[in-house]
Amino acid sequence: MQISGQAAKYWLYSTNHKDVGVLYTVTSLLFFLIGGVLALSMRAQLANPTPGILPTSTYNEFVTMHGLLMILWVLSPLAIGLANYFIPLQLGARDLAFPRLNALSYWLYLFGGVGMVLTFFVGGGPNTGWTLYNPQTACSDPLCAGAGLNVATGALVLLVASITLGSVNFIVTMFKMRAPGLKFSHFSMFPWAMLVTVVMMLYAFPSFLAGLVLLFADRTFPARLSYLSSSQSGNIPSLLWDDVFWFFGHPEVYIVLFPAIGVIGEILPTFTRRPLYGAKYVAWSMIAAAVLSFIVWGHHMFITGVSPLSTQLFTITTIGVSLPFDVITISMIETLYKAKIRMKAPVLFAIGAVALFVIGGITGVFLASIALDHQLRGTYFVVAHFHYIMVGAGILALMGGLYYWFPKMTGRMYNERIAKLHFALSFIGFNVLYFPMFFLLEMPRRIASYTINTGWLPLNQMATIGGFIFGLAQLLLFANLGRSLRNGTPAGPNPWEGWTFEWSTSSPPPPENFGTIPRVASDGTVDFGSGHRGSLATGLPNGHGAHPSHLSRWPIIMALGAFLFLLGLTVSSPPPNYFLLVPGVVVGVWGLTGYGREAFVVPEGEKTADWPFAGIPRARLGVWVFLASEIIFFGVLLGAYAFVRTNAATWPAINSLFEISHGATNTFILLASSLTAVLALACARQGSKSGLVASLVGTFALGTLFLYNKAMEWQQLASAPVSIFANFPLPATTYYITTGVHGVHVFAGLLMIGYLIPNALKGKYFGHGEETIHHFGLYWHFVDIVWIFLFPLFYLI
Amino acid sequence: MREKGLSVRVYIIVFAVLIGVTAGELELINLPNLARDFVVTTLIGLAVAKAALVVLFFQELKDEPRPLSIVLVVAVVIVTALLSVSFLQLHPFHT
């Protein structure tokens, strides 16, 4: 198959939500192939006790890469791909709120995945397990031999950036761009599930990002092992990574699971011809589970020696979090009970996912028990449990979603017989693969070999047979969808007689989705314009009319710049590699500038439903939501500092290492810059061009002065006769990391002002344009607030 | 003159208060015979107060719809809970 230049340009530059959705979906399936090959290699290894086909070190790399790719580059992105395609359609919107940001999210995700796979070729892939536990990640070698984990850290940073931007985009879209009259109570289950998912992503991933910063610092800074290792600080900071990681890691399980529940909640009503039983309670249950998911992470740390009180609390919350899932499961079973089910492939996958979820869920409750957890932790029982959740419920449901929406995405039907064969082999293979693992109660996970007298061989061989059945079955998916793409029978707009908005438009939908944005009346009926009124299933609006260009080259250029920058920062031992770092900065700034200067028209709907954020413009809401994630990011960084400091044996006295005069001067400078920033907004509102320009120039000057003063302080500390890192490793690392990350934020703010000033001189920021100044101010004041906390914590206490 | 947002006068008053509180922080650490716990708690309390002033008046959160505050408060609560429980977990090591 040849791709013409025009087609390549289209896919590289498209920002349309449906195209980005296709890109996400296809890319996640490619990573699924890579992760699957790694998994089968591991199963082949374990089919014989010893000797195996893989050296132990390679096996460890495969285990780690398999986990990271499948969880972070397959499961969530596959769901995000479907959400990209269908959430705007299901909301009656023309696109996501920020289409270019959406494309940027995808390219950051792709480059992050490329970086992750690249680690195999730059010093070896990470071999620590997907949890990246300390001390496996510790690097005491002065050159930190083997940059693979450093590059992996950079790749994960790109992924978190992608997810954060994506979360902001979806949240703003779902709150601000719903079709007129469309209330949350009208939502079907997939939009509900994705709303809960992206909110969880917004609050969970910044903790992981902060952890990655700490990990990078520990592996590359002159004073190594400051934050996460026990070697210098007693046993206490060694749990810091566990806390930071699992605070993200446990919600991540539900982040992966909820979209699958949403897909099942779409498929079951369609194929049973009845509404989801207790749909309202399913939605509330997801919300309840999401809230509880943030207070259960400690059950991953039962055997680390933490306080008995905290283990008891986490036992209660962990058992509690199973209750909402009981409601969800009962709802699905009730929906199926005595229903006349049309046994098509999507519903088979959905039913299979529910069945496997029950097994995975029940075995998870076992692990809430402290006594059982002590026995089962780190064994293949746990491996079986979470694969029943992640693969059994997660992947199978999402595959059901692929079959369900394939006709809408392509306008073609898939081959039903092959799809059913795919399901049968997947279901059988999955259970042959994972069910035996429940009985490997004493076999530790992540081991590359074992002895014959353990008695583990038969169960492992059975699991390996199941693994190959399951793995090879997936080829049927690729073959079926690939062939049907060209030769499938035409699907028509609504082959399943579905009820949600996406079935009311053509297959595939036109660029703008709908000719006229549908309106939902209070009684639930939908008006598609032109006097056409009826149920969701009957509307056929035409969105093929004139539409603005969806193409922008800047998202991919910005993502490339970020990729090169992070690769340059991590790939060499010792870092950085300026041959990558400098081009990364140049390409990134070029992309950012082009992005800012581009006159990009965002497809707008008419007056949309925007409760409860009526009155807040879309972009401003986006900035606020982004700042919420920044609160957690900096909160965890400052918390890590407090963690290290309160448990350190000694700490320099006030004003002995970090001079108060430096901190106080910078505090006054930043506070003054906040005043000039807010005066800029006042001047924009009053139409005072000279006042606006002067205020922005003043803010720029004060920000620059802040960084200059900070640089002087850094230089002074670095050039001290006795190395600060040698004498005060913990204060030095925490200081440079925390103030450094803050400094990067100040620098980013200066870049923004550098962009704003020329436009202010052209008189662009009056009338509606003042919003841009307001957005900048929100960010700049936030950076000021961070310093308000840094000042006392580092200089006065 | 002003159509929306706060007046310049309010911005300058808030700025003056922020500068004054910062000066107070610098004075506080020089006061003799204060318990360290008191100083630490007061300094963190003052930082929270300063941050609240910036959020409410410079970022104009007080004029935004109330649900927006919830988005930010949830983030603060989450990070506070994380830190609190993290320290709670380590209790035995302190004794």
Side-chain angles (χ1 to χ4, degrees), chain A residues 167-216:
Chain A
S167 304
V168 171
N169 213 344
F170 273 101
I171 289 170
V172 174
T173 302
M174 297 177 90
F175 277 108
K176 296 291 292 183
M177 295 181 68
R178 306 188 304 276
L182 183 66
K183 299 176 181 174
F184 286 102
S185 57
H186 295 140
F187 273 17
S188 58
M189 210 39 64
F190 190 59
W192 261 119
M194 287 312 304
L195 179 59
V196 177
T197 300
V198 292
V199 169
M200 289 177 73
M201 283 176 163
L202 182 82
Y203 289 129
F205 272 86
S207 172
F208 188 36
L209 180 61
L212 293 171
V213 171
L214 306 183
L215 176 60
F216 184 71

Coordinates of all heavy atoms in Angstrom, one line a residue, chain A residues 167-216:
Chain A
S167 N -6.3 15.5 29.0 CA -7.3 15.6 30.1 C -7.9 17.0 30.1 O -9.2 17.1 30.2 CB -6.7 15.4 31.5 OG -6.0 14.2 31.5
V168 N -7.1 18.0 30.0 CA -7.6 19.4 30.0 C -8.6 19.6 28.8 O -9.7 20.1 29.0 CB -6.5 20.4 29.9 CG1 -7.0 21.8 29.6 CG2 -5.6 20.4 31.1
N169 N -8.2 19.0 27.7 CA -9.0 19.2 26.5 C -10.4 18.5 26.6 O -11.4 19.1 26.3 CB -8.2 18.5 25.3 CG -8.5 19.2 24.0 OD1 -9.4 20.0 23.9 ND2 -7.7 19.0 23.0
F170 N -10.4 17.3 27.1 CA -11.6 16.5 27.3 C -12.5 17.2 28.3 O -13.7 17.3 28.1 CB -11.4 15.1 27.6 CG -11.1 14.2 26.4 CD1 -9.9 13.8 26.0 CD2 -12.2 13.8 25.6 CE1 -9.7 13.1 24.9 CE2 -12.0 13.0 24.5 CZ -10.7 12.6 24.1
I171 N -11.9 17.6 29.4 CA -12.7 18.2 30.5 C -13.4 19.5 30.0 O -14.6 19.7 30.2 CB -11.8 18.5 31.7 CG1 -11.4 17.2 32.4 CG2 -12.6 19.4 32.7 CD1 -10.4 17.3 33.5
V172 N -12.6 20.3 29.3 CA -13.3 21.6 28.8 C -14.3 21.2 27.7 O -15.4 21.8 27.7 CB -12.2 22.5 28.2 CG1 -12.8 23.7 27.5 CG2 -11.2 22.9 29.3
T173 N -14.0 20.3 26.9 CA -15.0 19.9 25.9 C -16.3 19.4 26.5 O -17.4 19.8 26.1 CB -14.4 18.8 25.0 OG1 -13.2 19.2 24.4 CG2 -15.4 18.4 23.9
M174 N -16.2 18.6 27.5 CA -17.4 18.0 28.1 C -18.2 18.9 28.9 O -19.4 18.8 29.1 CB -17.0 16.7 28.8 CG -16.4 15.7 27.9 SD -15.9 14.2 28.7 CE -17.3 13.2 28.6
F175 N -17.5 19.9 29.4 CA -18.2 20.9 30.2 C -18.7 22.1 29.4 O -19.6 22.8 29.8 CB -17.3 21.4 31.4 CG -17.4 20.5 32.6 CD1 -16.3 19.7 32.9 CD2 -18.5 20.4 33.4 CE1 -16.3 18.9 34.0 CE2 -18.5 19.6 34.5 CZ -17.4 18.8 34.8
K176 N -18.1 22.4 28.3 CA -18.4 23.6 27.5 C -19.0 23.4 26.2 O -19.4 24.4 25.5 CB -17.1 24.5 27.4 CG -16.5 25.0 28.7 CD -17.4 26.0 29.4 CE -17.4 27.3 28.6 NZ -18.2 28.3 29.3
M177 N -18.9 22.2 25.6 CA -19.3 22.0 24.2 C -20.4 21.0 24.0 O -20.5 20.5 22.9 CB -18.0 21.7 23.4 CG -17.0 22.8 23.4 SD -15.6 22.4 22.5 CE -16.2 22.4 20.8
R178 N -21.2 20.8 25.0 CA -22.3 19.9 24.8 C -23.4 20.5 23.9 O -23.6 21.8 23.9 CB -22.9 19.5 26.1 CG -21.9 18.9 27.1 CD -22.6 18.3 28.3 NE -23.4 19.3 29.0 CZ -23.0 20.2 29.9 NH1 -21.7 20.2 30.2 NH2 -23.8 21.0 30.6
A179 N -24.1 19.7 23.1 CA -25.1 20.3 22.3 C -26.2 21.0 23.2 O -26.4 20.6 24.3 CB -25.8 19.1 21.5
P180 N -26.8 22.0 22.6 CA -27.8 22.7 23.4 C -28.8 21.8 24.0 O -29.4 20.9 23.3 CB -28.4 23.7 22.4 CG -27.4 23.8 21.4 CD -26.6 22.6 21.3
G181 N -29.0 21.9 25.3 CA -30.0 21.1 26.0 C -29.5 19.8 26.5 O -30.2 19.0 27.2
L182 N -28.3 19.4 26.1 CA -27.7 18.1 26.5 C -27.2 18.2 27.9 O -26.2 18.8 28.2 CB -26.6 17.7 25.5 CG -26.0 16.3 25.8 CD1 -27.1 15.2 25.6 CD2 -24.8 16.0 24.9
K183 N -27.9 17.6 28.8 CA -27.5 17.6 30.2 C -26.6 16.3 30.5 O -26.7 15.4 29.8 CB -28.7 17.6 31.1 CG -29.6 18.8 30.9 CD -30.8 18.6 31.8 CE -31.8 19.8 31.6 NZ -33.0 19.6 32.3
F184 N -25.9 16.4 31.6 CA -25.2 15.2 32.0 C -26.1 14.0 32.3 O -25.7 12.9 32.0 CB -24.3 15.5 33.3 CG -23.2 16.4 33.0 CD1 -23.2 17.8 33.4 CD2 -22.0 15.9 32.5 CE1 -22.1 18.6 33.1 CE2 -20.9 16.7 32.2 CZ -21.0 18.1 32.5
S185 N -27.3 14.3 32.7 CA -28.2 13.2 32.9 C -28.6 12.5 31.6 O -29.1 11.4 31.6 CB -29.5 13.7 33.6 OG -30.1 14.7 32.9
H186 N -28.4 13.2 30.4 CA -28.7 12.6 29.2 C -27.5 11.7 28.7 O -27.6 11.0 27.7 CB -28.9 13.6 28.1 CG -30.2 14.4 28.3 ND1 -30.3 15.8 28.1 CD2 -31.4 14.1 28.8 CE1 -31.5 16.2 28.4 NE2 -32.2 15.2 28.8
F187 N -26.4 11.8 29.3 CA -25.2 11.1 28.8 C -25.4 9.6 28.8 O -26.0 9.0 29.7 CB -24.0 11.4 29.8 CG -23.2 12.6 29.5 CD1 -23.7 13.6 28.6 CD2 -21.9 12.8 30.0 CE1 -22.9 14.8 28.4 CE2 -21.2 13.9 29.7 CZ -21.7 14.9 28.9
S188 N -24.9 9.0 27.7 CA -24.8 7.5 27.8 C -23.6 7.2 28.6 O -22.9 8.0 29.1 CB -24.7 7.0 26.4 OG -23.6 7.5 25.7
M189 N -23.2 5.9 28.7 CA -22.2 5.5 29.6 C -20.8 5.8 29.2 O -19.9 6.0 30.1 CB -22.4 4.0 29.9 CG -22.0 3.5 31.3 SD -22.4 4.7 32.6 CE -24.2 4.6 32.6
F190 N -20.5 5.8 27.9 CA -19.1 6.1 27.5 C -18.7 7.5 27.9 O -17.6 7.7 28.4 CB -18.9 5.8 26.0 CG -17.5 5.8 25.6 CD1 -16.6 5.0 26.1 CD2 -17.1 6.7 24.6 CE1 -15.2 5.0 25.7 CE2 -15.8 6.7 24.2 CZ -14.8 5.9 24.8
P191 N -19.5 8.5 27.6 CA -19.1 9.9 28.0 C -19.0 10.0 29.5 O -18.1 10.7 30.0 CB -20.3 10.8 27.5 CG -20.9 10.0 26.4 CD -20.7 8.6 26.7
W192 N -19.9 9.3 30.2 CA -19.7 9.4 31.7 C -18.4 8.8 32.1 O -17.7 9.3 32.9 CB -20.9 8.6 32.4 CG -22.0 9.4 32.9 CD1 -23.3 9.4 32.5 CD2 -21.9 10.5 33.8 NE1 -24.0 10.3 33.1 CE2 -23.2 11.0 34.0 CE3 -20.9 11.0 34.6 CZ2 -23.5 12.0 34.9 CZ3 -21.2 12.0 35.5 CH2 -22.5 12.5 35.6
A193 N -18.1 7.6 31.6 CA -16.9 6.9 31.9 C -15.6 7.8 31.6 O -14.7 7.8 32.3 CB -16.8 5.5 31.2
M194 N -15.7 8.4 30.4 CA -14.5 9.2 30.0 C -14.4 10.4 30.8 O -13.3 10.9 31.1 CB -14.6 9.5 28.5 CG -14.3 8.4 27.6 SD -12.9 7.4 27.9 CE -11.6 8.6 27.9
L195 N -15.5 11.0 31.2 CA -15.4 12.2 32.1 C -14.7 11.8 33.4 O -13.8 12.5 33.8 CB -16.8 12.8 32.3 CG -16.9 14.0 33.3 CD1 -16.1 15.1 32.7 CD2 -18.3 14.4 33.5
V196 N -15.2 10.7 34.0 CA -14.6 10.3 35.3 C -13.1 10.0 35.0 O -12.2 10.4 35.8 CB -15.3 9.1 35.9 CG1 -14.6 8.6 37.1 CG2 -16.8 9.5 36.2
T197 N -12.8 9.3 33.9 CA -11.4 8.9 33.6 C -10.5 10.1 33.4 O -9.4 10.2 34.0 CB -11.4 8.1 32.3 OG1 -12.2 7.0 32.5 CG2 -10.0 7.7 31.9
V198 N -10.9 11.1 32.7 CA -10.0 12.2 32.4 C -9.8 13.1 33.7 O -8.7 13.7 33.9 CB -10.4 13.1 31.2 CG1 -10.3 12.3 29.9 CG2 -11.8 13.7 31.4
V199 N -10.9 13.2 34.5 CA -10.7 13.9 35.8 C -9.7 13.2 36.7 O -8.8 13.8 37.3 CB -12.0 14.1 36.5 CG1 -11.8 14.6 37.9 CG2 -12.9 15.0 35.7
M200 N -9.8 11.9 36.7 CA -8.8 11.1 37.4 C -7.4 11.3 36.9 O -6.4 11.4 37.6 CB -9.1 9.6 37.4 CG -10.4 9.3 38.3 SD -10.8 7.5 38.1 CE -9.5 6.8 39.1
M201 N -7.3 11.3 35.6 CA -6.0 11.5 34.9 C -5.4 12.8 35.3 O -4.2 12.9 35.7 CB -6.1 11.5 33.4 CG -6.3 10.1 32.8 SD -6.5 10.3 31.0 CE -6.2 8.6 30.4
L202 N -6.2 13.8 35.3 CA -5.8 15.2 35.7 C -5.2 15.2 37.1 O -4.1 15.9 37.3 CB -6.9 16.2 35.6 CG -6.6 17.6 35.9 CD1 -6.0 18.3 34.6 CD2 -7.8 18.4 36.4
Y203 N -5.8 14.5 38.0 CA -5.3 14.6 39.4 C -4.2 13.5 39.7 O -3.5 13.7 40.7 CB -6.5 14.5 40.3 CG -7.4 15.6 40.3 CD1 -8.8 15.5 40.2 CD2 -6.9 16.9 40.5 CE1 -9.7 16.6 40.2 CE2 -7.8 18.0 40.5 CZ -9.1 17.8 40.4 OH -10.0 18.9 40.4
A204 N -4.2 12.4 39.0 CA -3.3 11.4 39.3 C -1.9 11.5 38.7 O -0.9 11.3 39.3 CB -3.9 10.0 39.0
F205 N -1.9 11.9 37.4 CA -0.6 11.8 36.7 C 0.4 12.9 37.1 O 1.6 12.6 37.0 CB -0.9 12.0 35.2 CG -1.1 10.6 34.5 CD1 -2.3 10.1 34.5 CD2 0.0 9.9 34.0 CE1 -2.5 8.8 33.9 CE2 -0.2 8.7 33.4 CZ -1.5 8.1 33.4
P206 N 0.0 14.1 37.6 CA 1.1 15.0 38.1 C 1.9 14.4 39.2 O 3.1 14.8 39.3 CB 0.3 16.2 38.6 CG -1.0 16.1 37.9 CD -1.3 14.7 37.7
S207 N 1.4 13.5 40.0 CA 2.2 12.9 41.1 C 3.3 12.0 40.5 O 4.4 12.0 40.9 CB 1.2 12.0 42.0 OG 2.0 11.3 42.9
F208 N 2.9 11.3 39.4 CA 3.9 10.5 38.7 C 4.9 11.4 38.0 O 6.1 11.1 38.1 CB 3.1 9.7 37.6 CG 4.0 8.7 36.9 CD1 4.9 7.9 37.6 CD2 3.8 8.4 35.6 CE1 5.7 7.0 37.0 CE2 4.5 7.4 34.9 CZ 5.5 6.7 35.6
L209 N 4.5 12.5 37.5 CA 5.5 13.4 36.9 C 6.5 13.9 37.9 O 7.7 14.0 37.6 CB 4.8 14.6 36.2 CG 5.6 15.6 35.5 CD1 6.4 15.0 34.4 CD2 4.8 16.8 35.0
A210 N 6.0 14.3 39.1 CA 6.9 14.8 40.1 C 7.8 13.6 40.5 O 9.1 13.9 40.7 CB 6.1 15.2 41.3
G211 N 7.3 12.4 40.6 CA 8.2 11.3 40.9 C 9.3 11.1 39.9 O 10.4 10.8 40.2
L212 N 8.9 11.3 38.6 CA 9.9 11.1 37.5 C 11.0 12.2 37.7 O 12.2 11.9 37.4 CB 9.2 11.2 36.2 CG 8.3 10.1 35.8 CD1 7.5 10.4 34.5 CD2 9.0 8.8 35.6
V213 N 10.6 13.4 38.1 CA 11.6 14.4 38.3 C 12.6 14.0 39.4 O 13.8 14.1 39.3 CB 11.0 15.8 38.6 CG1 12.0 16.8 39.1 CG2 10.2 16.3 37.4
L214 N 12.0 13.4 40.5 CA 12.9 13.0 41.6 C 13.8 11.8 41.1 O 15.0 11.8 41.5 CB 12.0 12.5 42.8 CG 10.9 13.5 43.3 CD1 10.2 12.9 44.5 CD2 11.5 14.8 43.7
L215 N 13.2 10.9 40.4 CA 14.0 9.8 39.9 C 15.2 10.3 39.0 O 16.3 9.8 39.2 CB 13.1 8.9 39.1 CG 13.7 7.7 38.4 CD1 14.4 6.8 39.4 CD2 12.7 6.9 37.6
F216 N 14.9 11.2 38.1 CA 15.9 11.7 37.2 C 17.0 12.4 38.1 O 18.2 12.3 37.8 CB 15.3 12.7 36.2 CG 16.3 13.2 35.2 CD1 16.8 12.4 34.3 CD2 16.7 14.5 35.3 CE1 17.7 12.9 33.3 CE2 17.7 15.0 34.4 CZ 18.2 14.2 33.4

